[in-house]
Amino acid sequence: MSANAVGRPSSYSPQLADLICNRIEAGEALFRICENEGFPDRATVFRWCAQNEEFRNRYARARLIQAEVMADELLTIADTSTPEYYNVARLRVDTRKWILSKVLPKVYGDAMQLRHADADGNQLKIEVTRVSPRKP
């Protein structure tokens, strides 16, 4: 891109992809990254994900790391909260918990266990009966 070119870069480069993924891993939101000069817009990043398997895999790993960073932030937010900012801290914690439960449901989602048992905890016996249709 020349020094006096206008607009955002749209061509993929491994260096730019690494910069984006490194910032995501550090916990920065993609839309914030893309607001910076020299970075593509989000649609371009998503197009790269669709068209470039190597970037798609790198981006997915970056998002997983970002989720883990977000989980670590929960402790800091909770530990540094004060009575005056309790509601702000609670909102920040709840928002991150919700995102984590959607991004990594097996790790941070609500545990759900289905159990087929009677009131005493005994396993239910399931019988399948096939009914023949009536003949007129």
Side-chain angles (χ1 to χ4, degrees):
M1 200 166 179
S2 66
N4 56 356
V6 178
R8 294 173 175 261
S10 60
S11 60
Y12 174 86
S13 79
Q15 296 80 15
L16 186 55
D18 277 344
L19 282 174
I20 291 169
C21 290
N22 289 340
R23 289 175 69 172
I24 288 171
E25 289 172 356
E28 194 171 349
L30 180 62
F31 81 93
R32 293 270 189 238
I33 297 167
C34 293
E35 289 176 341
N36 290 272
E37 187 175 329
F39 285 85
D41 60 23
R42 287 188 298 175
T44 299
V45 174
F46 295 139
R47 188 171 58 253
W48 292 352
C49 283
Q51 296 172 349
N52 183 319
E53 184 178 2
E54 183 179 337
F55 178 69
R56 181 172 47 251
N57 293 335
R58 173 77 169 91
Y59 183 83
R61 284 191 309 274
R63 285 296 193 177
L64 290 175
I65 292 168
Q66 181 186 44
E68 295 297 338
V69 167
M70 193 178 297
D72 288 345
E73 288 176 346
L74 291 172
L75 293 173
T76 302
I77 294 166
D79 289 345
T80 59
S81 179
T82 61
E84 305 86 62
Y85 295 103
Y86 169 79
N87 286 328
V88 172
R90 182 176 173 179
L91 175 64
R92 292 178 69 205
V93 165
D94 287 349
T95 301
R96 284 163 175 76
K97 284 179 12 184
W98 182 85
I99 291 170
L100 288 170
S101 74
K102 304 306 176 198
V103 174
L104 296 172
K106 290 182 180 178
V107 178
Y108 297 107
D110 293 330
M112 191 181 301
Q113 181 180 19
L114 295 177
R115 197 166 160 202
H116 300 285
D118 63 17
D120 296 325
N122 299 315
Q123 185 175 358
L124 295 178
K125 181 178 178 184
I126 299 173
E127 293 182 22
V128 177
T129 305
R130 184 174 298 245
V131 178
S132 299
R134 291 185 188 187
K135 294 182 181 180

